[in-house]
Amino acid sequence: MNILLVLIPLALMLLVVAIAAFIWAVKRGQFDDLDTPALDILREDDRPPEFLKQRLEQPRRGERNDDGASD
């Protein structure tokens, strides 16, 4: 039973810390926009990144180049 004298105040201190962290996050705007980051992954890019564009321009192995020669 003596352990309750330690655990109850410890639990209350952890509760106060959790509430303070939540209030801090709300005041700093962490929960202002929850929808946009989730939708950003679904949005199409206008153009591919440079490394992808360069890779698409390179001929694949075994394909013929414009002059008819193969790799």
Side-chain angles (χ1 to χ4, degrees), residues 1 4 15 20-22 26 43 64:
M1 281 298 200
L4 290 178
L15 178 66
F22 178 73
V26 169
R43 191 171 301 141
R64 298 198 178 270

Side-chain angles (χ1 to χ4, degrees), residues 5-32:
L5 295 174
V6 174
L7 290 179
I8 291 176
L10 183 64
L12 291 175
M13 284 192 298
L14 286 174
L15 178 66
V16 168
V17 169
I19 291 172
F22 178 73
I23 291 171
W24 176 82
V26 169
K27 284 185 178 182
R28 300 284 187 288
Q30 295 293 318
F31 302 110
D32 284 350

Side-chain angles (χ1 to χ4, degrees), residues 34-58:
L34 297 176
D35 293 331
T36 302
L39 295 175
D40 281 344
I41 194 72
L42 300 175
R43 191 171 301 141
E44 295 267 342
D45 290 337
D46 291 341
R47 54 193 158 105
E50 286 299 318
F51 74 92
L52 188 60
K53 195 182 308 181
Q54 292 170 356
R55 187 167 182 164
L56 290 174
E57 291 173 356
Q58 295 175 352

Side-chain angles (χ1 to χ4, degrees), residues 58-65 68-71:
Q58 295 175 352
R60 294 183 190 168
R61 288 179 88 177
E63 285 186 357
R64 298 198 178 270
N65 295 337
S70 63
D71 288 338

